[in-house]
Amino acid sequence: MSARGLLSLVKKGSPQRLFRFYPPHYPPPQDVAATMPYWMYPHLDETQVALAEKAKGDWNDLTDEDRLRLYRAFFPVTFAEMKHPPSYGFMVMGKVLLMISLGFPILWALKTFVMNPAPYQLHPDYMKMLEDRMDALHNYPLGGPQGKYYDSEGNLKPREEAGW
């Protein structure tokens, strides 16, 4: 049995997604208006349909505004608008910045309430102690900075607990 024979078994009104491999969000192939671009198959509202009926008569009865509305009903995009389409750069950049700004409170909450505290080695007092220790253990030339850490007998001075 050919594919045409298989399609004859399918009811005419049902969308043929099984045989045409359309994702479910695509319109069925019978809906021509949904598959065409909007400027090729315009959907007219009641006022535009009434204006089109009025245009079937004498065009001298139409005002300039009616003629412009009738033209815009069938040709919603002018040549100037086709040459210079709207730019979506500001909209995209705004949404990117919005997503970044919405992410900062989430990162702050994660850092504050979820992550472990920083290790003690990163505390400023511990880093100051390491710096003092490294300075004390270096062999500076005579009369150099070791006078800050050693007394006159060569003993290590106690650490000064000054403010930050």
Side-chain angles (χ1 to χ4, degrees), residues 87-102:
S87 174
Y88 297 106
F90 289 115
M91 187 173 67
V92 170
M93 194 63 182
K95 287 184 181 179
V96 165
L97 292 175
L98 177 71
M99 288 298 123
I100 290 172
S101 65
L102 291 177

